[in-house]
Amino acid sequence: MCLAVFFRTFAAMKLYSDAALAKILDKELFHQISSVADRLGMECYVVGGYVRDIFLERPSNDIDVVVVGSGIEVAKALKQQLGKRAHLSVFKNFGTAQVKCWQQTKDGPQEIEVEFVGARKESYSHDSRKPIVENGTLEDDQNRRDFTVNAMAICLNKSRFGELVDPFNGIADLEDGIIATPLDPEVTFSDDPLRMMRCIRFATQLNFQIEDETFEGLERMAERIKIVSGERIEVELNKIMMAPHPSTGLEYLQRSGLLNIILPELAALDIVEKRDGRAHKNNFYHTLEVLENVCRHDASLWLRWAALLHDIGKTKSKRWENGAGWTFHNHNIIGAKMVQGIFRRLKLPMGAEMKYVQKLVDLHMRPQAIADNEVTDSAVRRLLNDAGDDIDDLMILCEADITSKNEVRKKLFLENFRMVREKLTDLQEKDYKRLLQPVIDGNEIMEMFHLPPSREVGVLKQYLKDAVLDDKVANERGPLMELLMQKAKQMGLVS
């Protein structure tokens, strides 16, 4: 782990004594839980992410409580004690219960969720993530946790209120910025392979390193991810994508072998071929650079996905051409066609989100092609017509795609992009939708030539639209009608 990351992590975290932890937990809700647990004679601990986030000084309103006994019984008693301020949900099949309540804070009332579960130990069969669950001790419960930083517990019983129970020295891993499993990583990941995704997700979100032995466990157990449903993988993958620096997680996925199973189309870009002394760039690491550039704009999840998949068609389109070297002709078109299959396999939404990503992948070369040549009004009008309301996101993606190490070439690209943006702004200010849509529409064409909805109507509509986009005629009824009649005669629709 580099020193810069270590000191940044260490500086952001305080070490707390049990007394200090008791003070942090000095809230009405925790004392209510403490009172109920003591009255029922059960040990009670706040565990997991809430404890971890205390040390990282991150806000959290989702609280997990482990009871050595019946978590449902404690939850019911807490609901009774809180009265109308709380709502209770019991999940008997899972042995858990949830209490939602409102607590007054310095920022006003906040809803807090407390999940209660009895301490348990688990065992797994090889072909399933569903464990065989038995009642257990706190030690059993901490042994089944995914990572040392999530295996810490703080006692809520009055006699030990605020006492930290940390059998795997998770506090030291927090100090060092390390993600590690409490037990043998092969056992941890084999029992529940989704933990491999969570391992990489936590490392990405927290800017932590994955401990060497744990990473080796990821490499050895990668194939086990195949028994995890696409929906569960999608959730973790999207959390990685929305991290401040998602490229960290994607590189971990690639190095561990998980990416080749989850998203082989992206993993396949991690190659550099050389012929006659000429090599193409590594398109996998280029993609990560583009993704990081997009994230500087606080990009949405789907713009990040568009950045991740923008060059996905390069593996299929790669050719060696004598004289030209390595080429990737039409990789944008090929990539756009691949998006649907990738979204379906990963259980990503197949509606507007998928179509948005398809559109950006398809169009991502257009602004560069315009910037490479003379920036003409007609080219910009066509771009704006095809991109529509997504033009700003497309421009962010295309500028992010300029990763050339040749500073002169990069400066030229950016200057040309500035000119494209200026023309786009001018066009948008002139009510571009009115300017780009011919004043003669399809309904009028059908009425004029007595046509049903048909290919001929589409040809005539597109002919008028091309004329407007290319600025061959003004978008006015007279000139367009003259042009329409000429085309109709060529097609034999009028004599």
Side-chain angles (χ1 to χ4, degrees):
M1 180 179 186
C2 72
L3 286 176
V5 173
F6 171 83
F7 285 119
R8 184 166 65 253
T9 304
F10 186 79
M13 182 176 61
K14 296 176 182 175
L15 296 179
Y16 296 100
S17 65
D18 290 349
L21 289 172
K23 189 172 181 180
I24 290 170
L25 297 176
D26 188 17
K27 300 174 184 175
E28 179 190 358
L29 178 62
F30 287 117
H31 286 295
Q32 296 268 19
I33 297 171
S34 177
S35 171
V36 166
D38 283 348
R39 188 171 75 246
L40 295 174
M42 298 184 193
E43 291 180 42
C44 194
Y45 302 85
V46 58
V47 298
Y50 190 85
V51 177
R52 177 198 68 223
D53 288 343
I54 287 175
F55 293 103
L56 293 177
E57 298 186 336
R58 301 199 322 169
S60 178
N61 287 326
D62 295 332
I63 302 168
D64 291 323
V65 171
V66 163
V67 177
V68 183
S70 172
I72 292 176
E73 192 175 340
V74 172
K76 287 180 176 178
L78 178 65
K79 163 64 176 97
Q80 187 174 17
Q81 188 159 305
L82 293 175
K84 294 181 178 179
R85 289 188 296 158
H87 174 76
L88 172 68
S89 300
V90 175
F91 309 96
K92 286 185 178 179
N93 289 345
F94 298 97
T96 66
Q98 183 187 76
V99 175
K100 288 185 179 181
C101 61
W102 289 89
Q103 293 282 294
Q104 192 63 37
T105 70
K106 63 181 180 180
D107 299 319
Q110 281 188 339
E111 185 181 55
I112 298 178
E113 295 182 4
V114 187
E115 192 88 23
F116 290 88
V117 64
R120 60 193 189 184
K121 55 184 176 180
E122 299 174 343
S123 57
Y124 292 79
S125 63
H126 186 75
D127 59 350
S128 173
R129 289 183 56 238
K130 295 180 180 179
I132 301 168
V133 178
E134 304 173 71
N135 293 335
T137 63
L138 175 66
E139 180 183 2
D140 291 327
D141 202 89
Q142 289 178 299
N143 285 344
R144 73 177 182 83
R145 298 278 161 177
D146 49 10
F147 309 111
T148 60
V149 297
N150 293 336
M152 297 180 286
I154 301 175
C155 188
L156 295 179
N157 297 97
K158 185 176 181 180
S159 62
R160 296 167 53 209
F161 193 83
E163 178 183 313
L164 176 66
V165 183
D166 183 17
F168 304 109
N169 212 7
I171 193 70
D173 286 345
L174 278 177
E175 288 180 51
D176 293 340
I178 286 175
I179 300 295
T181 57
L183 303 177
D184 181 341
E186 286 196 25
V187 174
T188 298
F189 295 145
S190 179
D191 283 349
D192 184 355
L194 185 64
R195 289 170 176 165
M196 293 188 285
M197 295 294 298
R198 285 169 56 82
C199 175
I200 291 173
R201 189 250 293 181
F202 280 124
T204 307
Q205 288 179 327
L206 299 175
N207 195 21
F208 279 17
Q209 301 287 313
I210 299 175
E211 181 251 352
D212 288 346
E213 187 177 345
T214 300
F215 186 79
E216 290 167 5
L218 287 175
E219 292 177 298
R220 288 193 292 269
M221 304 307 295
E223 287 290 321
R224 288 281 286 159
I225 200 67
K226 291 179 179 178
I227 74 166
V228 180
S229 71
E231 289 86 353
R232 299 304 297 272
I233 291 173
E234 175 214 352
V235 170
E236 295 300 325
L237 198 51
N238 281 341
K239 288 179 179 179
I240 291 170
M241 290 290 285
M242 287 306 295
H245 297 287
S247 63
T248 300
L250 289 157
E251 186 173 5
Y252 272 134
L253 287 170
Q254 175 69 342
R255 286 174 48 209
S256 65
L258 285 164
L259 192 66
N260 194 49
I261 299 168
I262 297 167
L263 191 45
E265 300 90 341
L266 182 62
L269 295 177
D270 189 9
I271 187 172
V272 175
E273 286 193 65
K274 196 171 186 178
R275 186 176 294 187
D276 296 344
R278 299 175 69 177
H280 62 77
K281 65 187 172 188
N282 185 305
N283 287 301
F284 174 75
Y285 285 97
H286 162 73
T287 294
L288 297 192
E289 189 175 352
V290 173
L291 178 58
E292 287 295 311
N293 290 342
V294 160
C295 290
R296 293 175 188 166
H297 295 267
D298 194 25
S300 69
L301 173 62
W302 305 114
L303 179 51
R304 293 174 187 225
W305 269 103
L308 188 69
L309 301 181
H310 81 283
D311 275 350
I312 206 74
K314 280 193 169 180
T315 303
K316 290 186 177 181
S317 64
K318 183 168 64 176
R319 299 288 185 274
W320 172 261
E321 296 181 4
N322 289 328
W326 293 105
T327 64
F328 303 91
H329 297 312
N330 296 323
H331 74 272
N332 55 312
I333 299 171
I334 294 169
K337 291 178 180 177
M338 294 168 66
V339 168
Q340 186 174 18
I342 290 170
F343 266 54
R344 181 177 290 110
R345 189 180 71 244
L346 293 177
K347 308 301 182 184
L348 291 163
M350 298 298 294
E353 298 89 347
M354 186 271 292
K355 290 177 181 176
Y356 164 90
V357 173
Q358 271 189 322
K359 180 199 282 190
L360 264 60
V361 172
D362 186 22
L363 294 178
H364 83 271
M365 298 296 293
R366 286 275 292 282
Q368 287 193 25
I370 294 172
D372 258 339
N373 301 295
E374 182 184 353
V375 182
T376 64
D377 289 350
S378 62
V380 173
R381 274 197 297 274
R382 282 188 170 277
L383 174 65
L384 187 50
N385 175 73
D386 292 342
D389 294 336
D390 299 318
I391 186 64
D392 291 336
D393 285 356
L394 177 62
M395 292 301 292
I396 288 172
L397 173 59
C398 293
E399 286 183 343
D401 198 17
I402 302 171
T403 62
S404 173
K405 301 302 182 281
N406 182 324
E407 290 302 320
V408 174
R409 178 173 168 77
K410 188 172 183 178
K411 186 176 179 180
L412 179 63
F413 259 128
L414 292 173
E415 175 59 23
N416 286 351
F417 261 72
R418 185 188 62 77
M419 294 171 61
V420 174
R421 280 192 178 277
E422 284 182 358
K423 286 186 178 290
L424 284 169
T425 301
D426 289 344
L427 194 54
Q428 287 170 316
E429 288 175 352
K430 293 176 182 175
D431 187 7
Y432 74 93
K433 289 185 178 177
R434 179 182 61 80
L435 290 172
L436 300 183
Q437 297 299 325
V439 295
I440 301 174
D441 64 15
N443 290 327
E444 189 171 355
I445 292 172
M446 286 190 287
E447 186 177 338
M448 188 182 306
F449 299 109
H450 307 291
L451 293 171
S454 59
R455 186 188 70 83
E456 287 82 0
V457 176
V459 169
L460 291 171
K461 280 176 61 180
Q462 190 62 48
Y463 184 72
L464 294 184
K465 190 165 191 175
D466 288 342
V468 171
L469 290 173
D470 292 335
D471 207 18
K472 291 179 179 177
V473 295
N475 192 8
E476 297 171 0
R477 188 171 186 79
L480 282 175
M481 187 62 74
E482 185 178 340
L483 202 64
L484 177 62
M485 295 306 295
Q486 291 175 4
K487 184 65 175 177
K489 285 180 181 179
Q490 290 176 12
M491 295 172 64
L493 297 176
V494 292
S495 57

